[in-house]
Amino acid sequence: SPARTALSPREAASRRKGKARRGRGKARNEGLLSKQKRSRRMKANDRERNRMHHLNSALDALRSVLPTFPDDAKLTKIETLRFAHNYIWALTQSLRLA
């Protein structure tokens, strides 16, 4: 019925209460969003720092078991990985021949 579809302003406002508003709250939330972004970035940086720390520790452990000459020369990351690959391959070949 027509009377049912026409709402008073008070009724319309009470029905909108549950719905999200658009536009007005944006300025209020920008500060909160920037804090959240900053917090996420700091956490991501911490995770990356820890990842690199663990990677470097693992490479140091790998360097300690690889035979290198001279002993004081530190291999780069890629050199360490290539050397380890070739060393494992050489050990495998020597086992196959034995």
Side-chain angles (χ1 to χ4, degrees):
S1 73
R4 192 170 198 195
T5 58
L7 298 175
S8 70
R10 185 177 277 173
E11 288 172 329
S14 68
R15 284 194 179 183
R16 281 194 309 257
K17 273 188 179 178
K19 295 182 181 179
R21 290 184 170 190
R22 295 183 190 189
R24 278 183 158 192
K26 189 174 183 180
R28 229 180 327 160
N29 291 331
E30 283 181 11
L32 180 62
L33 287 175
S34 68
K35 284 182 183 180
Q36 287 175 342
K37 285 181 183 179
R38 203 173 317 125
S39 174
R40 286 186 195 138
R41 176 57 19 217
M42 288 177 65
K43 288 178 184 178
N45 288 347
D46 287 341
R47 285 192 304 270
E48 178 64 11
R49 193 176 306 109
N50 286 332
R51 187 188 72 83
M52 289 304 300
H53 177 72
H54 286 61
L55 177 64
N56 289 332
S57 297
L59 285 167
D60 286 337
L62 182 58
R63 283 185 194 104
S64 70
V65 297
L66 293 174
T68 57
F69 302 101
D71 290 332
D72 60 345
K74 181 180 176 185
L75 300 172
T76 64
K77 292 175 184 179
I78 191 68
E79 289 171 342
T80 301
L81 293 174
R82 287 181 179 149
F83 192 99
H85 175 268
N86 292 335
Y87 186 59
I88 292 168
W89 179 84
L91 290 174
T92 304
Q93 292 302 316
S94 66
L95 285 174
R96 284 186 184 159
L97 293 175

Coordinates of all heavy atoms in Angstrom, one line a residue:
S1 N 0.8 -1.2 0.0 CA 0.0 0.0 0.0 C 0.9 1.2 0.0 O 2.0 1.2 0.5 CB -0.9 0.0 1.2 OG -0.2 0.3 2.4
P2 N 0.4 2.4 -0.5 CA 1.2 3.6 -0.6 C 1.6 4.1 0.8 O 2.6 4.7 1.0 CB 0.3 4.6 -1.3 CG -0.8 3.8 -1.9 CD -0.9 2.5 -1.2
A3 N 0.7 4.0 1.8 CA 1.1 4.5 3.1 C 2.2 3.7 3.7 O 3.0 4.2 4.5 CB -0.2 4.3 4.0
R4 N 2.4 2.4 3.3 CA 3.4 1.6 3.8 C 4.8 2.0 3.2 O 5.8 1.9 3.9 CB 3.1 0.1 3.5 CG 4.0 -0.8 4.2 CD 3.4 -2.2 4.0 NE 4.0 -3.0 5.1 CZ 4.0 -4.3 5.1 NH1 3.3 -4.9 4.1 NH2 4.5 -5.0 6.0
T5 N 4.9 2.4 2.0 CA 6.1 2.7 1.3 C 6.6 4.1 1.7 O 7.8 4.3 1.7 CB 6.0 2.7 -0.2 OG1 5.0 3.5 -0.6 CG2 5.7 1.2 -0.6
A6 N 5.8 5.0 2.1 CA 6.2 6.4 2.5 C 6.5 6.3 4.0 O 5.7 6.1 4.8 CB 5.0 7.4 2.2
L7 N 7.8 6.6 4.3 CA 8.3 6.6 5.7 C 8.5 8.0 6.1 O 8.9 8.8 5.4 CB 9.6 5.8 5.8 CG 9.5 4.3 5.3 CD1 10.9 3.7 5.4 CD2 8.6 3.5 6.3
S8 N 8.2 8.2 7.4 CA 8.6 9.5 8.0 C 10.1 9.6 8.1 O 10.8 8.6 8.1 CB 7.9 9.6 9.4 OG 8.6 8.7 10.3
P9 N 10.6 10.8 8.2 CA 12.1 10.9 8.3 C 12.7 10.2 9.5 O 13.7 9.6 9.5 CB 12.3 12.4 8.5 CG 11.1 13.0 7.9 CD 10.0 12.0 8.1
R10 N 11.9 10.1 10.6 CA 12.4 9.4 11.8 C 12.5 7.9 11.6 O 13.4 7.3 11.9 CB 11.4 9.7 13.0 CG 11.9 9.1 14.3 CD 11.0 9.5 15.4 NE 11.4 10.8 15.9 CZ 10.7 11.4 16.8 NH1 9.6 11.0 17.3 NH2 11.1 12.6 17.2
E11 N 11.4 7.4 10.9 CA 11.4 5.9 10.5 C 12.6 5.6 9.6 O 13.2 4.6 9.7 CB 10.1 5.5 9.9 CG 8.9 5.5 10.9 CD 7.6 5.2 10.2 OE1 7.5 5.7 9.0 OE2 6.8 4.6 10.8
A12 N 12.8 6.4 8.6 CA 13.8 6.2 7.6 C 15.2 6.2 8.3 O 16.1 5.4 8.0 CB 13.8 7.3 6.5
A13 N 15.4 7.2 9.3 CA 16.7 7.2 10.0 C 16.9 6.0 10.9 O 18.0 5.5 11.0 CB 16.7 8.5 10.9
S14 N 15.8 5.5 11.5 CA 16.0 4.4 12.3 C 16.3 3.1 11.5 O 17.0 2.2 11.9 CB 14.7 4.1 13.2 OG 13.6 3.7 12.4
R15 N 15.8 3.0 10.3 CA 16.1 1.9 9.4 C 17.6 2.0 8.9 O 18.2 1.0 8.7 CB 15.2 1.8 8.2 CG 13.8 1.3 8.6 CD 13.0 1.0 7.4 NE 11.7 0.4 7.8 CZ 10.8 0.0 7.0 NH1 11.1 0.0 5.7 NH2 9.7 -0.5 7.4
R16 N 18.1 3.2 8.7 CA 19.5 3.3 8.2 C 20.5 3.1 9.3 O 21.7 3.0 9.0 CB 19.6 4.7 7.7 CG 19.1 4.9 6.3 CD 19.6 6.2 5.7 NE 19.4 7.4 6.5 CZ 18.4 8.3 6.4 NH1 17.6 8.2 5.4 NH2 18.3 9.3 7.2
K17 N 20.1 3.1 10.5 CA 21.1 3.0 11.6 C 22.0 1.8 11.4 O 23.2 1.8 11.7 CB 20.4 2.9 13.0 CG 20.1 4.2 13.6 CD 19.6 4.1 15.0 CE 19.4 5.4 15.6 NZ 18.9 5.3 16.9
G18 N 21.5 0.6 11.0 CA 22.2 -0.6 10.9 C 23.2 -0.6 9.7 O 24.1 -1.4 9.6
K19 N 22.9 0.3 8.7 CA 23.7 0.3 7.5 C 25.0 1.2 7.6 O 25.0 2.2 8.4 CB 22.9 0.8 6.3 CG 21.7 -0.1 6.0 CD 21.0 0.4 4.8 CE 19.8 -0.6 4.5 NZ 19.0 -0.1 3.4
A20 N 26.0 0.9 6.9 CA 27.2 1.6 6.9 C 27.0 3.0 6.2 O 26.4 3.0 5.2 CB 28.4 0.9 6.3
R21 N 27.6 4.0 6.8 CA 27.6 5.3 6.1 C 28.7 5.5 5.2 O 29.8 4.9 5.4 CB 27.6 6.4 7.2 CG 26.4 6.5 8.0 CD 26.5 7.6 9.0 NE 25.3 7.9 9.6 CZ 25.0 9.0 10.3 NH1 25.9 9.9 10.5 NH2 23.9 9.1 10.9
R22 N 28.5 6.3 4.2 CA 29.6 6.5 3.2 C 30.0 8.0 3.3 O 29.2 8.9 3.4 CB 29.1 6.2 1.8 CG 28.8 4.8 1.6 CD 28.4 4.5 0.2 NE 27.8 3.2 0.1 CZ 27.6 2.6 -1.0 NH1 27.7 3.2 -2.1 NH2 27.1 1.4 -1.0
G23 N 31.3 8.2 3.1 CA 31.8 9.6 2.9 C 32.2 10.3 4.2 O 33.2 10.8 4.4
R24 N 31.3 10.3 5.2 CA 31.5 11.1 6.4 C 32.7 10.6 7.3 O 33.4 11.3 7.8 CB 30.3 11.1 7.3 CG 29.3 12.1 6.8 CD 28.1 12.1 7.8 NE 27.4 13.3 7.8 CZ 26.5 13.6 8.7 NH1 26.3 12.8 9.7 NH2 25.9 14.7 8.7
G25 N 32.7 9.3 7.5 CA 33.7 8.7 8.4 C 35.1 8.6 7.8 O 36.0 8.1 8.5
K26 N 35.3 8.9 6.5 CA 36.6 8.7 5.9 C 37.7 9.5 6.5 O 38.8 9.0 6.8 CB 36.5 9.0 4.4 CG 37.7 8.6 3.6 CD 37.5 8.8 2.2 CE 38.7 8.4 1.4 NZ 38.6 8.5 0.0
A27 N 37.5 10.7 6.8 CA 38.5 11.6 7.4 C 38.9 11.1 8.8 O 40.0 11.2 9.2 CB 38.1 13.0 7.4
R28 N 37.9 10.6 9.5 CA 38.2 10.1 10.8 C 39.0 8.9 10.8 O 39.9 8.7 11.7 CB 36.8 9.8 11.5 CG 36.7 10.4 12.9 CD 35.4 10.1 13.5 NE 34.3 10.0 12.6 CZ 33.2 9.4 12.8 NH1 33.0 8.8 14.0 NH2 32.2 9.4 11.9
N29 N 38.8 8.0 9.8 CA 39.5 6.8 9.8 C 40.9 6.8 9.1 O 41.6 5.9 9.1 CB 38.7 5.7 9.1 CG 37.5 5.4 9.9 OD1 37.5 5.4 11.1 ND2 36.4 5.0 9.2
E30 N 41.2 7.9 8.4 CA 42.5 8.0 7.7 C 43.7 7.9 8.6 O 44.7 7.2 8.3 CB 42.6 9.3 6.9 CG 41.8 9.3 5.6 CD 41.9 10.6 4.8 OE1 42.7 11.4 5.2 OE2 41.1 10.7 3.9
G31 N 43.6 8.5 9.8 CA 44.6 8.4 10.8 C 44.8 7.0 11.3 O 45.9 6.4 11.4
L32 N 43.7 6.3 11.5 CA 43.7 4.9 11.9 C 44.3 4.0 10.8 O 45.1 3.1 11.1 CB 42.3 4.5 12.3 CG 42.1 3.0 12.7 CD1 42.9 2.8 14.0 CD2 40.6 2.7 13.0
L33 N 43.9 4.3 9.6 CA 44.4 3.5 8.5 C 45.9 3.7 8.3 O 46.6 2.7 8.1 CB 43.7 3.8 7.2 CG 42.3 3.4 7.0 CD1 41.6 3.9 5.8 CD2 42.2 1.9 7.1
S34 N 46.4 4.9 8.5 CA 47.8 5.1 8.3 C 48.6 4.4 9.5 O 49.7 3.9 9.2 CB 48.2 6.6 8.3 OG 47.9 7.2 9.5
K35 N 48.0 4.4 10.7 CA 48.7 3.7 11.8 C 48.7 2.2 11.5 O 49.7 1.5 11.7 CB 47.9 3.9 13.1 CG 48.2 5.3 13.7 CD 47.5 5.4 15.0 CE 47.7 6.8 15.6 NZ 47.0 7.0 16.8
Q36 N 47.6 1.7 10.9 CA 47.5 0.2 10.6 C 48.5 -0.1 9.5 O 49.2 -1.1 9.6 CB 46.1 -0.2 10.1 CG 45.1 -0.2 11.2 CD 43.7 -0.5 10.7 OE1 43.4 -0.3 9.6 NE2 42.8 -0.9 11.6
K37 N 48.6 0.7 8.5 CA 49.6 0.5 7.4 C 51.0 0.5 8.0 O 51.9 -0.3 7.6 CB 49.4 1.6 6.3 CG 48.2 1.3 5.4 CD 48.2 2.4 4.4 CE 47.0 2.3 3.5 NZ 46.9 3.3 2.5
R38 N 51.3 1.5 8.8 CA 52.6 1.6 9.4 C 52.9 0.4 10.3 O 54.0 -0.2 10.2 CB 52.7 2.9 10.3 CG 54.1 3.4 10.5 CD 54.1 4.7 11.2 NE 53.2 5.7 10.7 CZ 52.3 6.3 11.5 NH1 52.2 6.1 12.8 NH2 51.4 7.1 11.0
S39 N 51.9 -0.1 11.0 CA 52.1 -1.3 11.9 C 52.4 -2.5 11.0 O 53.3 -3.3 11.3 CB 50.9 -1.5 12.7 OG 51.0 -2.7 13.4
R40 N 51.6 -2.6 9.9 CA 51.8 -3.8 9.0 C 53.2 -3.7 8.4 O 53.8 -4.8 8.2 CB 50.7 -3.8 7.9 CG 49.4 -4.2 8.4 CD 48.4 -4.3 7.2 NE 47.0 -4.4 7.7 CZ 46.0 -3.7 7.2 NH1 46.2 -3.0 6.1 NH2 44.8 -3.9 7.7
R41 N 53.6 -2.5 8.0 CA 54.9 -2.4 7.3 C 56.0 -2.8 8.3 O 57.0 -3.4 7.9 CB 55.0 -1.0 6.8 CG 56.3 -0.6 6.2 CD 56.9 -1.4 5.0 NE 56.0 -2.2 4.3 CZ 56.4 -3.4 3.7 NH1 57.6 -3.8 3.9 NH2 55.5 -4.0 3.0
M42 N 55.9 -2.3 9.6 CA 56.9 -2.6 10.6 C 57.0 -4.1 10.8 O 58.0 -4.7 10.9 CB 56.6 -1.9 11.9 CG 56.9 -0.4 11.7 SD 56.5 0.6 13.2 CE 57.6 -0.1 14.4
K43 N 55.8 -4.8 10.9 CA 55.8 -6.2 11.1 C 56.4 -7.0 9.9 O 57.1 -7.9 10.1 CB 54.3 -6.7 11.3 CG 53.8 -6.3 12.7 CD 52.3 -6.8 12.8 CE 51.8 -6.3 14.2 NZ 50.3 -6.6 14.3
A44 N 56.1 -6.5 8.7 CA 56.6 -7.1 7.5 C 58.1 -6.9 7.5 O 58.9 -7.8 7.1 CB 56.0 -6.5 6.2
N45 N 58.6 -5.7 7.9 CA 60.0 -5.5 7.9 C 60.7 -6.4 8.9 O 61.8 -7.0 8.7 CB 60.3 -4.0 8.3 CG 60.0 -3.1 7.2 OD1 59.8 -3.5 6.0 ND2 60.0 -1.8 7.5
D46 N 60.1 -6.6 10.1 CA 60.6 -7.5 11.1 C 60.7 -9.0 10.6 O 61.7 -9.7 10.8 CB 59.7 -7.5 12.4 CG 59.9 -6.3 13.2 OD1 61.0 -5.6 13.0 OD2 59.1 -5.9 14.0
R47 N 59.6 -9.4 9.9 CA 59.6 -10.8 9.3 C 60.7 -10.9 8.3 O 61.4 -11.9 8.2 CB 58.3 -11.1 8.6 CG 57.1 -11.4 9.6 CD 55.9 -11.9 8.9 NE 55.4 -11.1 7.8 CZ 54.5 -10.1 8.0 NH1 54.0 -9.9 9.2 NH2 54.1 -9.4 7.0
E48 N 60.9 -9.9 7.4 CA 62.0 -10.0 6.4 C 63.4 -10.0 7.1 O 64.3 -10.7 6.6 CB 61.8 -8.8 5.5 CG 62.9 -8.7 4.4 CD 62.9 -9.9 3.4 OE1 61.9 -10.7 3.4 OE2 63.9 -10.0 2.7
R49 N 63.5 -9.1 8.1 CA 64.8 -9.1 8.8 C 65.1 -10.5 9.4 O 66.2 -11.0 9.3 CB 64.7 -8.0 9.9 CG 66.1 -7.7 10.5 CD 66.0 -6.5 11.5 NE 65.4 -5.3 10.9 CZ 64.1 -4.9 11.3 NH1 63.4 -5.5 12.1 NH2 63.6 -3.8 10.7
N50 N 64.1 -11.1 10.1 CA 64.3 -12.4 10.6 C 64.6 -13.5 9.6 O 65.4 -14.4 9.8 CB 63.1 -12.8 11.5 CG 63.0 -12.1 12.8 OD1 64.0 -11.7 13.3 ND2 61.8 -11.9 13.3
R51 N 63.9 -13.4 8.4 CA 64.1 -14.3 7.3 C 65.5 -14.2 6.9 O 66.2 -15.3 6.7 CB 63.1 -14.0 6.2 CG 63.2 -15.0 5.1 CD 62.3 -14.6 3.9 NE 62.9 -13.5 3.2 CZ 63.9 -13.7 2.2 NH1 64.3 -14.8 1.9 NH2 64.4 -12.6 1.6
M52 N 66.0 -13.0 6.7 CA 67.4 -12.8 6.2 C 68.4 -13.3 7.2 O 69.4 -13.9 6.9 CB 67.7 -11.4 5.8 CG 66.9 -10.9 4.5 SD 67.3 -12.0 3.1 CE 69.1 -11.8 3.0
H53 N 68.1 -13.0 8.5 CA 69.0 -13.5 9.6 C 69.1 -15.0 9.6 O 70.2 -15.6 9.7 CB 68.4 -13.0 10.9 CG 69.2 -13.5 12.1 ND1 70.5 -13.0 12.4 CD2 69.0 -14.4 13.0 CE1 70.9 -13.6 13.5 NE2 70.0 -14.5 13.9
H54 N 68.0 -15.7 9.4 CA 68.0 -17.2 9.4 C 68.7 -17.7 8.1 O 69.4 -18.7 8.2 CB 66.5 -17.7 9.4 CG 65.9 -17.6 10.8 ND1 65.7 -16.4 11.5 CD2 65.5 -18.6 11.6 CE1 65.2 -16.6 12.6 NE2 65.0 -17.9 12.8
L55 N 68.5 -17.0 7.0 CA 69.1 -17.4 5.8 C 70.6 -17.3 5.9 O 71.4 -18.2 5.5 CB 68.6 -16.6 4.6 CG 69.3 -16.8 3.2 CD1 69.0 -18.3 2.8 CD2 68.8 -15.8 2.2
N56 N 71.1 -16.1 6.4 CA 72.5 -15.9 6.6 C 73.1 -16.9 7.6 O 74.2 -17.4 7.4 CB 72.8 -14.5 7.1 CG 72.5 -13.5 5.9 OD1 72.7 -13.8 4.8 ND2 72.2 -12.3 6.3
S57 N 72.4 -17.2 8.7 CA 72.9 -18.2 9.6 C 73.0 -19.6 9.0 O 74.0 -20.3 9.2 CB 71.9 -18.3 10.8 OG 71.9 -17.1 11.5
A58 N 72.0 -20.0 8.1 CA 72.1 -21.2 7.4 C 73.2 -21.3 6.5 O 74.0 -22.3 6.3 CB 70.8 -21.5 6.7
L59 N 73.5 -20.2 5.8 CA 74.6 -20.1 4.8 C 76.0 -20.2 5.6 O 76.9 -20.8 5.1 CB 74.6 -18.9 4.0 CG 73.5 -18.9 2.9 CD1 73.3 -17.5 2.3 CD2 73.9 -19.9 1.8
D60 N 76.0 -19.6 6.8 CA 77.3 -19.7 7.6 C 77.5 -21.1 8.0 O 78.6 -21.6 8.0 CB 77.2 -18.7 8.8 CG 77.3 -17.3 8.4 OD1 77.9 -17.0 7.4 OD2 76.9 -16.4 9.2
A61 N 76.4 -21.8 8.4 CA 76.6 -23.2 8.8 C 77.0 -24.1 7.6 O 77.8 -25.0 7.8 CB 75.2 -23.7 9.3
L62 N 76.5 -23.8 6.4 CA 76.9 -24.5 5.2 C 78.3 -24.2 4.9 O 79.1 -25.1 4.6 CB 76.0 -24.1 4.1 CG 76.2 -24.8 2.7 CD1 76.1 -26.3 2.9 CD2 75.3 -24.3 1.7
R63 N 78.8 -23.0 5.0 CA 80.2 -22.6 4.8 C 81.1 -23.3 5.7 O 82.2 -23.7 5.3 CB 80.4 -21.1 4.9 CG 79.9 -20.3 3.8 CD 80.2 -18.8 4.0 NE 79.5 -18.0 3.1 CZ 78.4 -17.2 3.4 NH1 78.0 -17.2 4.7 NH2 77.8 -16.5 2.5
S64 N 80.7 -23.6 6.9 CA 81.5 -24.2 7.9 C 81.8 -25.7 7.6 O 82.8 -26.2 8.1 CB 80.9 -24.1 9.3 OG 79.8 -24.9 9.4
V65 N 81.0 -26.3 6.8 CA 81.2 -27.7 6.5 C 81.8 -27.9 5.1 O 82.2 -29.0 4.8 CB 79.9 -28.6 6.6 CG1 79.4 -28.5 8.1 CG2 78.8 -28.1 5.7
L66 N 81.9 -26.9 4.3 CA 82.5 -27.0 3.0 C 84.0 -26.8 3.1 O 84.5 -25.9 3.8 CB 81.9 -25.9 2.0 CG 80.4 -26.1 1.7 CD1 79.9 -24.9 0.8 CD2 80.2 -27.4 0.9
P67 N 84.7 -27.6 2.4 CA 86.2 -27.4 2.3 C 86.6 -26.2 1.4 O 86.2 -26.2 0.3 CB 86.7 -28.7 1.8 CG 85.6 -29.3 0.9 CD 84.3 -28.8 1.6
T68 N 87.2 -25.2 2.0 CA 87.6 -24.1 1.2 C 89.1 -23.8 1.4 O 89.6 -24.1 2.5 CB 86.8 -22.8 1.6 OG1 87.0 -22.6 3.0 CG2 85.3 -22.9 1.4
F69 N 89.7 -23.2 0.4 CA 91.1 -22.9 0.4 C 91.2 -21.5 -0.1 O 90.8 -21.2 -1.2 CB 91.9 -23.8 -0.4 CG 91.8 -25.3 0.1 CD1 91.0 -26.1 -0.6 CD2 92.5 -25.7 1.2 CE1 90.9 -27.4 -0.2 CE2 92.4 -27.0 1.6 CZ 91.5 -27.9 0.9
P70 N 91.8 -20.5 0.6 CA 92.3 -20.6 2.0 C 91.1 -20.5 2.9 O 90.0 -20.1 2.6 CB 93.2 -19.4 2.1 CG 92.6 -18.4 1.1 CD 92.1 -19.2 0.0
D71 N 91.3 -20.9 4.2 CA 90.3 -21.0 5.2 C 89.7 -19.6 5.5 O 88.5 -19.5 5.9 CB 90.8 -21.6 6.4 CG 91.0 -23.1 6.2 OD1 90.4 -23.7 5.3 OD2 91.9 -23.7 6.9
D72 N 90.4 -18.5 5.4 CA 89.9 -17.2 5.8 C 89.0 -16.5 4.7 O 88.4 -15.5 5.0 CB 91.1 -16.3 6.2 CG 92.0 -16.1 5.0 OD1 92.0 -16.8 4.0 OD2 92.9 -15.1 5.1
A73 N 89.0 -17.1 3.5 CA 88.2 -16.5 2.4 C 86.7 -16.9 2.6 O 86.4 -18.0 2.7 CB 88.6 -17.0 1.1
K74 N 85.9 -15.9 2.7 CA 84.4 -16.1 2.9 C 83.8 -16.1 1.5 O 83.9 -15.1 0.8 CB 83.8 -15.0 3.8 CG 82.3 -15.2 4.0 CD 81.8 -14.1 4.9 CE 80.3 -14.3 5.1 NZ 79.7 -13.2 5.8
L75 N 83.1 -17.2 1.2 CA 82.4 -17.3 0.0 C 81.1 -16.4 0.0 O 80.5 -16.3 1.0 CB 82.0 -18.7 -0.3 CG 83.1 -19.7 -0.4 CD1 82.6 -21.1 -0.5 CD2 84.0 -19.4 -1.6
T76 N 80.7 -15.9 -1.2 CA 79.5 -15.2 -1.2 C 78.3 -16.2 -1.2 O 78.5 -17.4 -1.2 CB 79.4 -14.4 -2.6 OG1 79.3 -15.3 -3.6 CG2 80.5 -13.4 -2.7
K77 N 77.1 -15.7 -1.1 CA 75.9 -16.5 -1.0 C 75.8 -17.4 -2.2 O 75.7 -18.7 -2.1 CB 74.7 -15.7 -0.8 CG 74.6 -15.0 0.5 CD 73.3 -14.1 0.5 CE 73.3 -13.3 1.8 NZ 72.2 -12.4 1.8
I78 N 75.9 -16.9 -3.4 CA 75.8 -17.7 -4.6 C 77.0 -18.6 -4.7 O 76.8 -19.8 -5.2 CB 75.6 -16.8 -5.8 CG1 75.2 -17.6 -7.1 CG2 76.8 -16.0 -6.1 CD1 73.8 -18.2 -6.9
E79 N 78.2 -18.2 -4.4 CA 79.4 -19.1 -4.5 C 79.2 -20.2 -3.5 O 79.5 -21.4 -3.8 CB 80.6 -18.3 -4.1 CG 81.1 -17.3 -5.2 CD 82.2 -16.4 -4.7 OE1 82.4 -16.3 -3.5 OE2 82.8 -15.8 -5.6
T80 N 78.6 -20.0 -2.3 CA 78.4 -21.0 -1.3 C 77.5 -22.1 -1.9 O 77.7 -23.3 -1.8 CB 77.9 -20.4 0.0 OG1 78.8 -19.5 0.5 CG2 77.6 -21.5 1.0
L81 N 76.4 -21.6 -2.5 CA 75.4 -22.5 -3.0 C 75.9 -23.3 -4.2 O 75.7 -24.6 -4.3 CB 74.1 -21.8 -3.4 CG 73.3 -21.2 -2.3 CD1 72.2 -20.3 -2.8 CD2 72.8 -22.3 -1.3
R82 N 76.7 -22.7 -5.1 CA 77.2 -23.4 -6.2 C 78.3 -24.4 -5.7 O 78.4 -25.5 -6.3 CB 77.8 -22.4 -7.2 CG 76.8 -21.7 -8.0 CD 77.4 -20.7 -9.0 NE 76.4 -20.0 -9.7 CZ 76.5 -18.8 -10.2 NH1 77.6 -18.1 -10.0 NH2 75.5 -18.2 -10.9
F83 N 79.1 -24.0 -4.8 CA 80.2 -24.8 -4.3 C 79.6 -26.1 -3.6 O 80.0 -27.2 -3.8 CB 81.1 -24.1 -3.3 CG 82.3 -24.8 -2.9 CD1 83.5 -24.5 -3.5 CD2 82.3 -25.8 -1.9 CE1 84.7 -25.2 -3.2 CE2 83.4 -26.5 -1.6 CZ 84.6 -26.2 -2.2
A84 N 78.5 -25.8 -2.8 CA 77.8 -27.0 -2.1 C 77.2 -27.9 -3.1 O 77.3 -29.1 -3.0 CB 76.8 -26.4 -1.2
H85 N 76.6 -27.4 -4.2 CA 76.0 -28.2 -5.2 C 77.1 -29.1 -5.9 O 77.0 -30.3 -6.0 CB 75.3 -27.4 -6.3 CG 74.8 -28.1 -7.4 ND1 75.5 -28.3 -8.6 CD2 73.6 -28.8 -7.6 CE1 74.8 -29.0 -9.4 NE2 73.7 -29.3 -8.9
N86 N 78.2 -28.4 -6.3 CA 79.3 -29.2 -6.9 C 80.0 -30.2 -6.0 O 80.3 -31.3 -6.4 CB 80.3 -28.2 -7.5 CG 79.8 -27.4 -8.6 OD1 78.8 -27.8 -9.3 ND2 80.3 -26.2 -8.8
Y87 N 80.1 -29.8 -4.7 CA 80.7 -30.7 -3.7 C 79.9 -31.9 -3.5 O 80.4 -33.1 -3.5 CB 80.9 -29.9 -2.4 CG 81.7 -30.7 -1.4 CD1 83.0 -31.1 -1.6 CD2 81.1 -30.9 -0.1 CE1 83.7 -31.8 -0.6 CE2 81.8 -31.6 0.9 CZ 83.1 -32.1 0.6 OH 83.7 -32.7 1.6
I88 N 78.6 -31.7 -3.4 CA 77.6 -32.9 -3.2 C 77.7 -33.8 -4.5 O 77.7 -35.0 -4.4 CB 76.2 -32.4 -2.9 CG1 76.2 -31.7 -1.5 CG2 75.2 -33.5 -3.0 CD1 74.9 -31.0 -1.3
W89 N 77.7 -33.1 -5.7 CA 77.8 -33.9 -6.9 C 79.1 -34.7 -6.9 O 79.1 -35.9 -7.3 CB 77.7 -33.0 -8.1 CG 77.8 -33.7 -9.4 CD1 76.8 -34.3 -10.1 CD2 79.0 -33.9 -10.2 NE1 77.3 -34.9 -11.2 CE2 78.7 -34.6 -11.3 CE3 80.3 -33.5 -10.0 CZ2 79.6 -35.0 -12.3 CZ3 81.3 -33.9 -11.0 CH2 80.9 -34.6 -12.1
A90 N 80.2 -34.1 -6.6 CA 81.5 -34.8 -6.6 C 81.5 -36.0 -5.6 O 82.0 -37.1 -5.9 CB 82.6 -33.9 -6.3
L91 N 80.9 -35.8 -4.4 CA 80.8 -36.8 -3.4 C 80.0 -38.0 -3.9 O 80.3 -39.2 -3.7 CB 80.3 -36.3 -2.1 CG 81.2 -35.4 -1.3 CD1 80.5 -34.8 -0.1 CD2 82.5 -36.1 -0.9
T92 N 78.9 -37.6 -4.6 CA 78.0 -38.7 -5.1 C 78.7 -39.5 -6.2 O 78.6 -40.7 -6.2 CB 76.7 -38.0 -5.7 OG1 76.1 -37.2 -4.8 CG2 75.7 -39.0 -6.3
Q93 N 79.5 -38.8 -7.0 CA 80.2 -39.5 -8.1 C 81.3 -40.4 -7.5 O 81.4 -41.6 -8.0 CB 80.9 -38.5 -9.0 CG 79.9 -37.7 -9.9 CD 79.0 -38.6 -10.7 OE1 79.5 -39.5 -11.4 NE2 77.7 -38.3 -10.7
S94 N 81.9 -40.0 -6.5 CA 82.9 -40.8 -5.8 C 82.3 -42.0 -5.2 O 82.9 -43.1 -5.2 CB 83.8 -40.0 -4.8 OG 83.0 -39.6 -3.7
L95 N 81.1 -41.9 -4.6 CA 80.4 -43.0 -4.0 C 80.0 -44.0 -5.1 O 80.0 -45.2 -4.9 CB 79.2 -42.6 -3.2 CG 79.5 -42.0 -1.9 CD1 78.2 -41.4 -1.2 CD2 80.1 -43.0 -0.9
R96 N 79.5 -43.5 -6.3 CA 79.1 -44.4 -7.4 C 80.3 -45.2 -7.9 O 80.1 -46.4 -8.3 CB 78.5 -43.6 -8.5 CG 77.1 -43.1 -8.2 CD 76.5 -42.4 -9.4 NE 75.2 -41.9 -9.0 CZ 74.6 -40.9 -9.7 NH1 75.1 -40.4 -10.7 NH2 73.4 -40.5 -9.3
L97 N 81.5 -44.6 -7.9 CA 82.7 -45.3 -8.4 C 83.2 -46.3 -7.4 O 83.8 -47.3 -7.8 CB 83.7 -44.3 -8.8 CG 83.4 -43.4 -10.0 CD1 84.5 -42.3 -10.1 CD2 83.2 -44.1 -11.2
A98 N 82.9 -46.1 -6.2 CA 83.5 -47.0 -5.1 C 82.7 -48.3 -5.0 O 81.7 -48.5 -5.5 CB 83.4 -46.3 -3.8

